[in-house]
Each structure stands twice: as structure tokens, then as C-alpha cells.
Amino acid sequence: MADEKLTEVTRVPLWDPEQDDVLVCRQVRQETHDVKTFVFSGREPRAFRFYPGQYMTFELPVEGMVTRSYTISASAARPYRIEITVKRVPGGPGSNWLHDNMMPGKEVNVSGPGGEFTTDATAEEKLLFLSAGSGITPMMSMTRTACDLSEPSDLHFIHAARSPSDIIFRDELALLAAQNPSLKLAFTCETTSASHSWSGYTGRLNLQMLSLMSPDFLDRKIFCCGPALFMEGVRNMLQQAGFNMEKYYEESFDFGAETAGTLEEPASAAPEISDQIFRVSFSKTGHVVECGPGMTVLSAAREAGLLPLSSCQRGICGTCKSKLISGEVDMQHGGGIRQREIDQGKILICCSTPLSDIEVEI
């Protein structure tokens, strides 16, 4: 009987992102007061293939439809489910919809996985993970995977949080560290309170603190993820210490930002591919603009005074997906659109430059 069950498990088909684009929520876990983990699987049993640290893009029924990319926090060694861990962002349409509406049995359309922020923590090399806030999710996927497959070779994991109650996965990380002696943990919290006993580090991560947490950090390969200001501070700190930045890798959460239609700086133009100027027509608004050499459709839309939904500007998140009614574009995307969507005439306007006069459904 056991052999028969094992045979059935080995027959579970692989997840095909070109065919299977629906996940079913199986469980919701409250991690902290404003962070939840959502567990998904296929409608039918499917085995997922992804690298720890990769993300998936979710289509959420908010204000019509929005897309948001969330890092997979699950272990890649447990292939039958996908987990994302999401912090509720005040005013954020995607995170608030998930927190308020997603529950076991609900279905959601997805694409992916994508992303190149990954490493093998079981390899014979010394690693240091630095994370803050929700930036812990790719590090958790890498750590869970390493602990599932074997023991991490030599891993220091440092996480920064607002307070002890805001440390995501705190208990699980403590358990993993107890079971895996080569995994060393350290936390620092900006603030503490009398209601929470805390004997760890307090304050923002600095060079002196880092030297105590990971004395040989200069010899390690470093992976960093968190808010932009946190990562900027880490880079400055490491450069000050004389760290070899060729061994530094980071993942920005900007592509999953909960804001849309606004931009602090103008979008950078794509590499110049010709000196020809093309007309870009937007069918819904009636705007027509000229698109200069190398300018993206998103840049042209903004010049027309439009504020289409956009986020990453790197062809990763899929937020700016639009219908190309006529004409041709050169689209250099980073995985934020499926081939069948391209076949249906859809483009990502943030990474598409016109090759002719075009009309876009915006």
C-alpha cells in the first residue's frame, strides 16, 4: 500500500505556467499584527519548480484589476505549494485586498515564477543575509530550502525590524537555528517596549553592530533585501568597511510597490534603437503623442499627461500590461508577461519601444 501511494505522488504533474495560471488559497496564517502568509496550490495536485528567492505575479480584482509581484517565502524543496508573506500597507490596494479578502478556497490568477535573486545556501561558501521588514521573505525561502535539503554550509542571517513584535518568522528561525548549528541568527529592533521582553540589539543596523553580529562579514557573500533606504545604508556601510562589492547582491522591493500612477523621477528611456520618431495613439483617451528614439510607451503616455498603472519599470511585475491594437514594438521584458499574453497582443508599456506608429488601449 505504501509503495502504491509513493507511486501516485511521483505521478503528480509539474506546474506549467503557460497552461496553469490559477492558484487556490489553502491556508492563511497571521505572522505579525500586519503580516500574513497565504498558502496556495493548484486546482489539481501540481509540483512547482522555482528557485528560492524568486517571485510570482498575482492578478488581484482591485479597481478593476491590478497586478502585484510577491516573493515566494516557501521552501523550494516542498514543491506542492506556493506561499507568499505580505505586509499590509496603509492605502495599498493589493496588500489590503489580500488581507481583507483572501481566504481558503478563493482562486487567483498568477504568472511566473521569475527573478534572479537566489543562491544555494548549502554550497561550500560563507553567506550573510541582511534583511529588513518584508525583505525577509526571499531570505526565508533560501534558508528554509537549505535546511530542508541539508544543513546550511555557513550562514549568518541578520534581520532588522521596527520592534520585537514585528520580527516575521521569529519563532521558526529560532527553531531552524537550534536544529542547524551552522545557521547563526541576529536581530535588531529600532524600538522596544515594556510589554515585550527584549535582550537583543536595539537601534538601526550600523557597522559596529554588524561587526559583532558577523565578525567575518568581509569574507562573506552578502545578500540584502528590504526598503530602499535600508539597502542604501547597507551599501554605504559596506563600502566604508572596505567590503568587496562584487560579492554583494540585493533585491529591491520597488517592483512590488503599492503605489501606481506616480513617479518621483521621470522614467529612463530605453537604449536608442533608431533615430526615427513614431506616433503613439491612446485609444481610450484619444491622446496622440510623438515618441522619440528609444522612448518607451510608458514615457510617451506620461508626456501625454496620462498616469497608467506602473511599478517596476523593468518588465518584471506586469502592472503596466496593456493591449497593443496596431503597430509593432520592441519589448525587452524581465518575465512579467506570459507568451500566450504576447500572442494575444498584450505588451508591457514600461519596456516597449515603438518600431512603427502604434495604437495602445490606454
Side-chain angles (χ1 to χ4, degrees), residues 6-26:
L6 180 61
T7 301
E8 289 301 316
V9 169
T10 59
R11 289 176 180 168
V12 172
L14 287 172
W15 168 269
D16 182 356
E18 291 299 327
Q19 301 294 329
D20 305 320
D21 59 357
V22 176
L23 293 182
V24 182
C25 181
R26 303 300 184 184

Side-chain angles (χ1 to χ4, degrees), residues 131-133 159-168 187-191 203:
S131 62
H159 180 68
R162 289 174 301 181
S163 70
S165 63
D166 289 305
I167 300 176
I168 308 170
F187 302 111
T188 183
C189 296
E190 289 189 22
T191 61

Side-chain angles (χ1 to χ4, degrees), residues 119-130 152-158 181-186 210-224 234 238 241-249:
T119 191
D120 179 5
T122 67
E124 292 294 328
E125 61 180 346
K126 300 165 73 172
L127 299 176
L128 170 58
F129 291 171
L130 297 173
S153 177
D154 186 349
L155 173 59
H156 290 183
F157 193 142
I158 298 172
S182 58
L183 169 60
K184 307 297 184 184
L185 294 180
L210 177 62
S211 300
L212 294 172
M213 295 172 167
S214 181
D216 61 348
F217 74 90
L218 289 174
D219 301 325
R220 295 180 176 271
K221 182 186 291 186
I222 296 179
F223 288 78
C224 181
V234 168
L238 294 176
F243 182 78
N244 178 9
M245 297 303 287
E246 291 184 358
K247 299 191 299 178
Y248 174 82
Y249 304 85

Side-chain angles (χ1 to χ4, degrees), residues 82-328:
I82 292 290
E83 296 181 15
I84 59 172
T85 302
V86 182
K87 174 183 172 63
R88 184 192 288 272
V89 178
S95 65
N96 280 276
W97 188 90
L98 284 170
H99 275 247
D100 295 337
N101 298 279
M102 185 54 68
M103 62 186 64
K106 270 190 174 290
E107 297 185 345
V108 62
N109 291 326
V110 300
S111 60
E116 300 178 355
F117 185 72
T118 185
T119 191
D120 179 5
T122 67
E124 292 294 328
E125 61 180 346
K126 300 165 73 172
L127 299 176
L128 170 58
F129 291 171
L130 297 173
S131 62
S134 300
I136 197 173
T137 51
M139 312 305 191
M140 195 63 187
S141 179
M142 296 179 203
T143 303
R144 283 169 164 166
T145 302
C147 292
D148 279 345
L149 293 177
S150 61
E151 184 176 312
S153 177
D154 186 349
L155 173 59
H156 290 183
F157 193 142
I158 298 172
H159 180 68
R162 289 174 301 181
S163 70
S165 63
D166 289 305
I167 300 176
I168 308 170
F169 307 127
R170 180 181 176 182
D171 292 341
E172 182 181 352
L173 280 170
L175 178 61
L176 291 176
Q179 296 171 338
N180 299 273
S182 58
L183 169 60
K184 307 297 184 184
L185 294 180
F187 302 111
T188 183
C189 296
E190 289 189 22
T191 61
T192 60
S193 65
S195 60
H196 291 92
S197 175
W198 180 249
S199 58
Y201 294 91
T202 303
R204 294 190 176 184
L205 184 65
N206 56 49
L207 187 55
Q208 180 181 8
M209 196 182 294
L210 177 62
S211 300
L212 294 172
M213 295 172 167
S214 181
D216 61 348
F217 74 90
L218 289 174
D219 301 325
R220 295 180 176 271
K221 182 186 291 186
I222 296 179
F223 288 78
C224 181
C225 186
L229 288 177
F230 171 79
M231 294 191 297
E232 180 182 358
V234 168
R235 290 193 301 271
N236 292 338
M237 178 174 60
L238 294 176
Q239 290 167 352
Q240 177 187 346
F243 182 78
N244 178 9
M245 297 303 287
E246 291 184 358
K247 299 191 299 178
Y248 174 82
Y249 304 85
E250 70 176 33
E251 175 77 307
S252 170
F253 269 16
D254 291 346
F255 67 78
E258 285 280 14
T259 56
T262 60
L263 188 70
E264 292 182 358
E265 298 179 359
S268 57
E272 185 169 327
I273 55 175
S274 76
D275 58 358
Q276 193 167 353
I277 295 176
F278 298 110
R279 287 165 56 90
V280 178
S281 304
F282 301 104
S283 62
K284 290 184 178 179
T285 66
H287 287 78
V288 180
V289 298
E290 292 186 340
C291 195
M295 180 181 287
T296 65
V297 179
L298 176 60
S299 298
R302 289 196 170 119
E303 286 207 352
L306 305 178
L307 293 175
L309 285 172
S310 64
S311 184
C312 72
Q313 299 181 58
R314 292 183 289 160
I316 294 176
C317 71
T319 300
C320 65
K321 197 177 299 174
S322 304
K323 175 75 172 180
L324 179 65
I325 298 174
S326 64
E328 297 182 26

